[in-house]
Amino acid sequence: MKLITIFTNRRWRLRIFAVATSLIATLLLTQVVTPSQTLTRDKYLWPFAPTSIWNMPIGSGARYKPAYIQKAYWAGADTIHLYKLKASDPLRSVYAPGSWEVRCSGTRKTTISVLPVPDSLIVPDTVDTSTPNNSSAFLMPDGRTIQQLNPLARCQKSGPVYGYAHSKPVDIYGDGITGSHGGSGLSAIGGTIRKGELIGSQPIRHALKVLLDSKKYYYYSQSIPGYRWPADRADQVAPTDYKGRNPALVMGSLLAIPSWVTEASLNLQTPAAKKLFYALQNYGAYVVDNAGWDCHYIAVEKGVNEEFKQIYGYSMVGKDGRFYEDFMRLFQALYIVDNNSPISIGGGGVRRVALAPPIGN
């Protein structure tokens, strides 16, 4: 049969239409779901409710106020320790640190009496003048409860765990606000850059956490005692150490890159900085602790800097290099979302990006 006859014959036209329709339906039904089309998320890797402060995007109603953050001497990574615990792991006692400088010497019990931890979990004590914050979060064997300590230390296999306990357990399905960042009372796991997020192809889809030098930036007065919602505290030394002049820049401040700033305008050169740019513009970053010196820190899961260096060939911490310059441009571009509040997280209005998908486990 000639081709022209097929297309002019009504019966053949109907057959061709039916076959084509079937093929299209098959393609639609069997289409592979890409990561950007993820229907659910893993609670441990991407925790808390879609409306949590850590997952809520910046809104069109955000009122931006200059933060006046300047270039710092050092770009730093504040290491956060995150663990999924198993019921089969041995129970170990938890003690408050002996001191900030010598942690594995405490004998006073905390509100968390024991934790099931593997013998392989070792977090060294301080070395010389290095006293990391070591905020930590433990997803308990029930798959729901999060316990948090700060500063975490465990100096010997099968030995006790040390750290000041966050007073209340947190539900991984809840708002996830509170936790073991000692300077602000904010979550250890929420807002932390996870392994794979700075080197993968997918965007970072949550708020971040930053630490600045309190003597340069954080404000304190009798009427503004060094913190704002969602933080529930400032450092104990806030009355003497917070010497910033901007009343809006305190523990709990939400910082973000405004909508009128572009990646091109900042002349960003490195792939990781470009990923951070969109996270900071779409979600922002909460101020959670004190850097303690002329350094801008961003909070990352333990292991992030190591994989960063392996993939890119340079460290994310230091005082020079292309990433350092990009990192400083990002901080200098940050503004304060001054109307961030419980009723207008991220400033309210139309969100810059879609809300997080539901948790699937």
Side-chain angles (χ1 to χ4, degrees):
M1 184 181 293
K2 294 182 179 180
L3 188 61
I4 188 67
T5 305
I6 292 175
F7 282 100
T8 56
N9 185 288
R10 183 173 182 275
R11 185 177 63 181
W12 277 100
R13 288 203 308 270
L14 290 173
R15 287 181 179 178
I16 292 170
F17 177 78
V19 171
T21 302
S22 177
L23 285 171
I24 292 170
T26 301
L27 287 171
L28 290 173
L29 290 172
T30 59
Q31 183 181 19
V32 176
V33 177
T34 64
S36 62
Q37 297 170 313
T38 301
L39 300 179
T40 60
R41 56 191 164 100
D42 182 277
K43 63 188 176 186
Y44 178 65
L45 299 177
W46 191 355
F48 305 127
T51 54
S52 163
I53 63 168
W54 307 113
N55 292 325
M56 185 67 82
I58 301 295
S60 60
R63 294 201 299 267
Y64 295 102
K65 186 172 185 176
Y68 303 113
I69 298 172
Q70 302 302 310
K71 191 174 184 177
Y73 171 75
W74 194 265
D78 186 46
T79 300
I80 310 296
H81 299 262
L82 305 176
Y83 302 97
K84 285 176 72 173
L85 302 183
K86 300 176 182 178
S88 58
D89 287 329
L91 291 174
R92 302 302 183 192
S93 296
V94 180
Y95 296 103
S99 68
W100 186 255
E101 293 78 16
V102 184
R103 298 168 180 180
C104 291
S105 61
T107 57
R108 181 169 57 86
K109 296 291 288 184
T110 73
T111 54
I112 303 173
S113 58
V114 294
L115 284 174
V117 294
D119 287 340
S120 59
L121 194 162
I122 298 292
V123 180
D125 211 327
T126 61
V127 178
D128 298 326
T129 59
S130 176
T131 54
N133 289 316
N134 281 1
S135 291
S136 61
F138 301 85
L139 179 59
M140 301 300 286
D142 65 4
R144 182 163 200 143
T145 305
I146 297 174
Q147 298 283 15
Q148 300 176 73
L149 297 173
N150 164 267
L152 177 66
R154 192 190 191 206
C155 295
Q156 59 184 7
K157 180 179 177 180
S158 76
V161 178
Y162 296 90
Y164 297 110
H166 176 57
S167 58
K168 296 179 181 179
V170 172
D171 186 349
I172 201 166
Y173 297 98
D175 62 26
I177 292 177
T178 61
S180 60
H181 277 288
S184 63
L186 291 174
S187 174
I189 187 171
T192 296
I193 294 175
R194 307 300 292 271
K195 286 183 284 189
E197 287 190 319
L198 284 178
I199 61 174
S201 60
Q202 294 302 305
I204 298 172
R205 296 184 60 189
H206 58 78
L208 308 181
K209 296 182 294 192
V210 295
L211 296 74
L212 305 172
D213 184 0
S214 65
K215 286 183 169 61
K216 282 189 172 184
Y217 297 109
Y218 299 164
Y219 183 87
Y220 180 90
S221 70
Q222 290 298 316
S223 59
I224 303 175
Y227 68 95
R228 62 189 293 176
W229 186 89
D232 64 10
R233 73 192 71 168
D235 287 294
Q236 290 183 346
V237 296
T240 56
D241 280 20
Y242 287 17
K243 299 184 182 300
R245 297 183 178 182
N246 188 342
L249 185 47
V250 292
M251 289 293 177
S253 291
L254 175 60
L255 308 178
I257 296 176
S259 56
W260 61 82
V261 179
T262 66
E263 175 192 316
S265 70
L266 295 183
N267 193 29
L268 300 176
Q269 301 295 308
T270 57
K274 293 175 183 180
K275 296 196 76 172
L276 290 173
F277 169 83
Y278 289 105
L280 290 169
Q281 189 166 73
N282 291 334
Y283 295 93
Y286 284 93
V287 175
V288 295
D289 257 323
N290 180 10
W293 67 303
D294 190 18
C295 174
H296 297 334
Y297 286 97
I298 197 161
V300 303
E301 181 182 12
K302 179 177 171 58
V304 165
N305 187 39
E306 290 76 10
E307 67 176 14
F308 184 102
K309 189 172 183 179
Q310 182 179 11
I311 295 298
Y312 295 124
Y314 47 85
S315 176
M316 65 183 297
V317 304
K319 61 179 180 179
D320 53 31
R322 288 196 306 157
F323 181 75
Y324 165 82
E325 296 296 340
D326 279 354
F327 194 71
M328 293 303 150
R329 290 190 192 101
L330 292 172
F331 272 81
Q332 289 173 291
L334 290 170
Y335 279 61
I336 301 159
V337 180
D338 205 31
N339 61 333
N340 184 53
S341 75
I343 60 172
S344 61
I345 299 174
V350 179
R351 301 296 162 179
R352 288 187 55 84
V353 292
L355 293 181
I359 290 173
N361 57 349

